[in-house]
Amino acid sequence: MAASGRGLGRATRASRCPAWRRVHWEAKGRLKPEYDAVVIGAGHNGLVAAAYLQRLGVNTAVFERRHVIGGAAVTEEIIPGFKFSRASYLLSLLRPQIYSDLELKKHGLRLHLRNPYSFTPMLEEGTRNKAPRSLLLGTNMAENQKQIAQFSRKDAQAFPKYEAFMNRLALAINPLLDSAPVDMEALRQGSLLQRLQALSTLKPLLQAGRMLGVQLPQYYQVLTAPITKVLDQWFESEPLKATLATDAVIGAMTSPRTPGSGYVLLHHVMGGLEGMQGAWGYVQGGMGALSDAIASSATAHGASIFTEKTVAKVQVSSGGRVQGVVLQDGTEVRSKVVLSNASPQITFLTLTPQKWLPKEFTERISQLDTRSPITKINVAVDRLPDFLAAPGAPKGQPLPHHQCSIHLNCEDTDLLHQAFEDAMDGRPSHRPMIELCIPSSLDPTLAPPGCHVVSLFTQYTPYTLAGGKVWDDQERNTYADKVFDCIEAYAPGFKGSVVGRDVLTPPDLERIFGLPGGNIFHCAMALDQLYFARPVPLHSSYRCPLQGLYLCGSGAHPGGGVMGAAGRNAAHVVFKDLKSM
């Protein structure tokens, strides 16, 4: 399969993959001229918003520009027989209320929980009878301590206390995810009733403060300091610190030495699955199966979902209120409200007529930090990787570490920082940080017998390359070859197992999935772009200056990740507003 300008990198063994196929979604419902609510984009947040609104009796339609629903939570059969979670690839952050309210299990959602969950092999010379060391972490604390003790007995003793410390912070902040932030605009110039209602939303903040108690200063440091400073206070061994630090920088154009990187780590440990705090898992059938389950829940209650229907603009009445959308083919669809699952930039700078938005607002939106370090590489292989640090998969059967997030080039936080420095100079990292996952190790439905799908979440790669270079096929393949060389050092024979690959650089992620700058969170999860400052101060309650237009995607509170909270929260705000019309 030759490389193309569609973001597909070089694929080997072309005879095995003669076509490029994808998993499609059939449009649900017949297009009507009017709905109560229209949702722009069938990403998971948009689908969640539609499902909740429809259950509340709000007749809702969703319009998706692609042929497949799910946004970044999508399954695509890029190489025949191999089904990839092409963008997002793991589940943990999905809010438990959504799981139960939308009856996702009834609608086909099946999960494969991972244990152990993290594997960090070392690049070091093994002895005659001993393989290189590795760090394997899971749910068994005694086993975790045994693993950590290879590198530091002191760290092994400190690890349970660190876990308890971080879990307490996660539990304190957790309720903030499930409601709209404090409405600062209402506090500033709303009616007395609006101000009282806004003050009531302070309750989760006050509860979080009470839960953290006298340790609040230490927790404040976690949120504001570089994660290296936090981890240095707990541990001395670099393999452990670097492994933990990956959660503080993943998906973010930040170094472990960047102030505020601690919040990104917290964001990635606040989840859980099926009652297990912090658990991560694979969705059977790929991440698109989650989107399908949400869509099935929505359509079962009467929502209409349309694919290959691009919204061209938001329609506004002469009185300055949203009255629907216009599709790319010229079709006008009327509605009382419009919710946008697109990024803030697309929503407010492209789809909304600018005369209805204050200049100061659009300027703030245009200035959002959307830098992304991510290049996602999806790989089809004909056998499992065999790591020097954990050799010998018997008869090709997966071993425990194959189900983990496998961290490569992550033995030292200095390696992570240097990879970041490369990208800041406009160069793809010389030794990129690699998170390698093999979902087919737990879900054999994703690949032909004996074969596997491998997800490579790699960073750091800049959106704009230095020296006037562009992300063409040559640059994509040069970088992907570099990544494969790195994997080969840990798992000799990996390159020979590759059947085909799909390389998605930041510009590719932007073009295909609508992620500005390739940013998986729509805009950076930095402290100045969180809570009542997301996407911008005074407009964090899912509403915007244009009456009837709402933001329900990752660019709204509480941010990115496959959690659905923005969609759920926005739906409740919209329903409340509709009742008061």
Side-chain angles (χ1 to χ4, degrees):
M1 188 192 309
S4 78
R6 298 174 57 86
L8 185 67
R10 176 175 59 87
T12 56
R13 303 184 193 179
S15 61
R16 300 191 188 185
C17 41
W20 202 39
R21 300 183 303 179
R22 294 167 172 152
V23 178
H24 287 251
W25 167 267
E26 293 184 8
K28 303 292 182 181
R30 180 178 57 83
L31 181 60
K32 296 185 292 186
E34 186 169 357
Y35 297 87
D36 295 328
V38 160
V39 179
I40 301 173
H44 83 281
N45 273 308
L47 295 170
V48 166
Y52 272 96
L53 286 172
Q54 193 68 43
R55 281 170 172 263
L56 291 166
V58 180
N59 190 21
T60 304
V62 183
F63 295 107
E64 168 58 43
R65 66 180 176 87
R66 297 192 73 207
H67 60 283
V68 60
I69 65 167
V74 65
T75 301
E76 297 196 59
E77 189 175 344
I78 302 165
I79 298 163
F82 293 87
K83 296 179 181 179
F84 295 94
S85 293
R86 199 177 182 203
S88 60
Y89 56 101
L90 281 171
L91 189 67
S92 173
L93 303 176
L94 184 70
R95 306 307 295 155
Q97 302 96 314
I98 294 172
Y99 191 95
S100 56
D101 289 349
L102 302 188
E103 303 175 289
L104 297 185
K105 194 169 184 179
K106 170 185 169 183
H107 288 280
L109 182 63
R110 299 291 181 269
L111 304 177
H112 296 278
L113 273 62
R114 309 186 310 169
N115 184 36
Y117 52 77
S118 172
F119 175 61
T120 307
M122 303 292 109
L123 267 189
E124 61 184 11
E125 292 292 332
T127 62
R128 183 175 180 180
N129 297 313
K130 194 173 183 181
R133 292 178 297 172
S134 61
L135 178 62
L136 188 68
L137 301 176
T139 59
N140 187 312
M141 183 56 73
E143 285 299 315
N144 289 343
Q145 289 181 287
K146 183 178 177 181
Q147 286 282 317
I148 295 167
Q150 298 176 87
F151 306 98
S152 167
R153 292 187 179 277
K154 178 184 173 184
D155 287 359
Q157 293 300 312
F159 190 67
K161 298 174 185 176
Y162 167 82
E163 288 277 278
F165 176 83
M166 294 301 293
N167 285 338
R168 186 176 182 184
L169 179 55
L171 288 173
I173 291 180
N174 198 50
L176 299 178
L177 306 181
D178 297 317
S179 59
V182 178
D183 190 341
M184 301 304 293
E185 181 68 5
L187 280 176
R188 189 178 71 158
Q189 56 184 25
S191 66
L192 178 60
L193 178 60
Q194 288 172 327
R195 291 181 185 184
L196 290 173
Q197 289 174 337
L199 284 172
S200 70
T201 61
L202 286 170
K203 185 178 178 181
L205 274 176
L206 297 174
Q207 289 176 331
R210 281 199 299 269
M211 181 177 289
L212 299 179
V214 295
Q215 286 187 298
L216 186 58
Q218 293 98 304
Y219 286 118
Y220 176 77
Q221 184 184 60
V222 171
L223 298 179
T224 58
I227 195 59
T228 48
K229 181 177 180 180
V230 175
L231 294 174
D232 285 346
Q233 293 172 354
W234 284 94
F235 307 116
E236 61 185 9
S237 60
E238 279 299 325
L240 177 60
K241 288 192 288 186
T243 297
L244 297 174
T246 60
D247 275 340
V249 299
I250 195 158
M253 186 61 90
T254 58
S255 161
R257 299 179 189 175
T258 302
S261 51
Y263 178 78
V264 180
L265 179 146
L266 183 67
H267 186 75
H268 283 93
V269 301
M270 284 193 290
L273 292 173
E274 299 186 347
M276 293 182 60
Q277 176 70 25
W280 287 80
Y282 300 117
V283 177
Q284 182 163 314
M287 291 295 284
L290 168 65
S291 300
D292 285 346
I294 300 170
S296 175
S297 177
T299 56
H301 286 79
S304 299
I305 301 172
F306 302 94
T307 54
E308 298 183 286
K309 294 287 187 184
T310 301
V311 172
K313 71 173 182 176
V314 174
Q315 192 87 309
V316 184
S317 71
S318 58
R321 179 179 175 80
V322 162
Q323 61 179 17
V325 298
V326 180
L327 303 183
Q328 197 170 59
D329 63 7
T331 303
E332 295 186 12
V333 181
R334 297 187 302 277
S335 64
K336 297 174 184 176
V337 294
V338 171
L339 295 81
S340 179
N341 187 52
S343 69
Q345 296 86 339
I346 292 174
T347 301
F348 301 122
L349 303 182
T350 302
L351 298 181
T352 307
Q354 296 299 282
K355 71 176 184 177
W356 298 110
L357 296 173
K359 184 177 179 182
E360 180 184 2
F361 175 79
T362 56
E363 285 179 348
R364 280 183 173 271
I365 294 295
S366 67
Q367 293 166 0
L368 290 173
D369 179 4
T370 61
R371 292 174 300 166
S372 169
I374 298 305
T375 288
K376 175 79 187 297
I377 307 176
N378 300 298
V379 190
V381 297
D382 63 11
R383 59 185 179 275
L384 284 167
D386 191 9
F387 292 92
L388 292 173
K395 297 182 179 178
Q397 294 302 305
L399 293 171
H401 67 274
H402 284 116
Q403 65 181 268
C404 294
S405 286
I406 301 170
H407 302 286
L408 306 180
N409 293 336
C410 296
E411 297 99 312
D412 192 302
T413 53
D414 284 342
L415 280 176
L416 305 183
H417 178 71
Q418 185 55 57
F420 166 77
E421 290 279 284
D422 288 346
M424 293 305 289
D425 290 337
R427 297 176 288 113
S429 302
H430 177 66
R431 283 191 64 183
M433 178 181 124
I434 302 169
E435 181 170 291
L436 185 155
C437 293
I438 313 171
S440 51
S441 63
L442 291 176
D443 179 9
T445 68
L446 298 175
C451 297
H452 289 273
V453 294
V454 176
S455 169
L456 302 176
F457 200 73
T458 78
Q459 56 190 89
Y460 297 79
T461 51
Y463 182 93
T464 303
L465 298 174
K469 294 181 179 180
V470 295
W471 279 111
D472 56 17
D473 289 338
Q474 181 178 345
E475 290 295 333
R476 286 189 192 93
N477 288 320
T478 297
Y479 175 72
D481 288 343
K482 184 186 301 181
V483 170
F484 282 26
D485 287 341
C486 289
I487 299 172
E488 186 79 10
Y490 291 93
F494 173 79
K495 291 196 291 185
S497 71
V498 174
V499 174
R501 72 191 191 190
D502 171 45
V503 184
L504 302 173
T505 65
D508 297 321
L509 294 170
E510 179 178 68
R511 174 177 48 79
I512 296 170
F513 300 107
L515 303 174
N519 194 298
I520 61 172
F521 305 126
H522 283 189
C523 53
M525 299 288 288
L527 294 178
D528 63 334
Q529 294 182 171
L530 290 175
Y531 198 55
F532 43 62
R534 191 171 188 89
V536 296
L538 303 183
H539 296 288
S540 60
S541 61
Y542 309 100
R543 304 178 182 95
C544 78
L546 177 58
Q547 192 175 11
L549 178 60
Y550 301 81
L551 199 64
C552 69
S554 294
H557 170 75
V562 184
M563 63 171 63
R568 177 179 179 270
N569 295 349
H572 287 303
V573 168
V574 169
F575 183 67
K576 178 182 174 182
D577 288 354
L578 284 171
K579 286 197 301 181
S580 65
M581 284 182 182

